[in-house]
Amino acid sequence: EAMNLLASAFLVQGKSSEGVEILAKVVELHPDSTEAKARLGAGFLSVGSEELGIETLRSILDKDPSYEQADILIVLNYLRNNKVAEAVRAAQEYQSRNPDSATSYDLLGRAYLASKEKESARAAFIKALELRPGDPGAGTGLADFALADKNYDAARGYYRQVLEHNPDHIPTRMKVAA
């Protein structure tokens, strides 16, 4: 844990090679640790070594397809780097491996939005809300669609649903106020 903290400190300070080197040592010490490998993959992504990061995270998924954090990191990395087609493909793979995960549908919806596939995004957000009522990402996504259609009552309804299940969700409270 101390090595993980030190690695995180290095990464935050911009000393990426030192941080990744320590994360690699943690993996050497605990080669069976999925969490250590995931931190290493995330470290690679954070320093711009996308290929190594994706490869590390995909190796986790080869052994444990249910380890959602690896899928989440892959999809978010592609979205952050504006690689929309890759994000959609990765989100579809994530959703197919985890069909009962609201998060998989939420990320799939975000990827579809980035690729301007609005109806597919809407369907993914609806499915996420079915799986996890009050999901903030899906509720906000659907509220955004309602606002675009000037259907303010529907938008308020989505926000209310989010707040019903997550009363302290400040971003949603701020959107209701706006």
Side-chain angles (χ1 to χ4, degrees):
E1 287 306 312
M3 291 175 76
N4 284 322
L5 287 172
L6 182 60
S8 295
F10 277 135
L11 291 171
V12 169
Q13 293 174 2
K15 299 177 181 178
S16 46
S17 61
E18 293 95 334
V20 170
E21 187 177 316
I22 291 172
L23 291 172
K25 286 180 184 175
V26 172
V27 171
E28 285 177 27
L29 292 170
H30 300 283
D32 295 330
S33 172
T34 301
E35 289 77 21
K37 289 178 186 172
R39 281 191 290 272
L40 178 60
F44 283 137
L45 294 176
S46 73
V47 300
S49 296
E50 183 177 61
E51 191 174 316
L52 280 172
I54 299 294
E55 182 181 312
T56 302
L57 295 169
R58 289 202 187 276
S59 73
I60 293 169
L61 293 170
D62 288 343
K63 292 180 183 168
D64 183 3
S66 67
Y67 189 75
E68 291 187 70
Q69 191 62 36
D71 276 310
I72 293 167
L73 287 168
I74 291 169
V75 174
L76 290 178
N77 174 72
Y78 285 139
L79 287 172
R80 183 177 52 250
N81 291 310
N82 210 21
K83 294 183 175 183
V84 178
E86 291 92 337
V88 169
R89 197 169 28 261
Q92 289 169 333
E93 291 170 7
Y94 173 27
Q95 183 276 317
S96 70
R97 276 192 294 277
N98 296 279
D100 296 327
S101 167
T103 304
S104 72
Y105 283 97
D106 185 31
L107 280 180
L108 182 58
R110 290 165 84 182
Y112 281 139
L113 269 181
S115 71
K116 299 181 180 17
E117 297 177 54
K118 291 182 181 180
E119 289 311 309
S120 295
R122 186 186 314 261
F125 289 143
I126 289 169
K127 183 64 177 178
L129 278 181
E130 288 173 10
L131 292 169
R132 185 171 50 220
D135 178 81
T140 298
L142 290 169
D144 289 345
F145 280 123
L147 289 172
D149 294 338
K150 297 186 192 257
N151 188 343
Y152 304 113
D153 289 334
R156 275 189 215 92
Y158 288 121
Y159 291 143
R160 281 190 196 112
Q161 183 184 9
V162 170
L163 293 173
E164 180 182 311
H165 294 274
N166 306 282
D168 297 327
H169 196 259
I170 299 300
T172 301
R173 289 200 173 278
M174 292 175 70
K175 288 184 181 238
V176 170

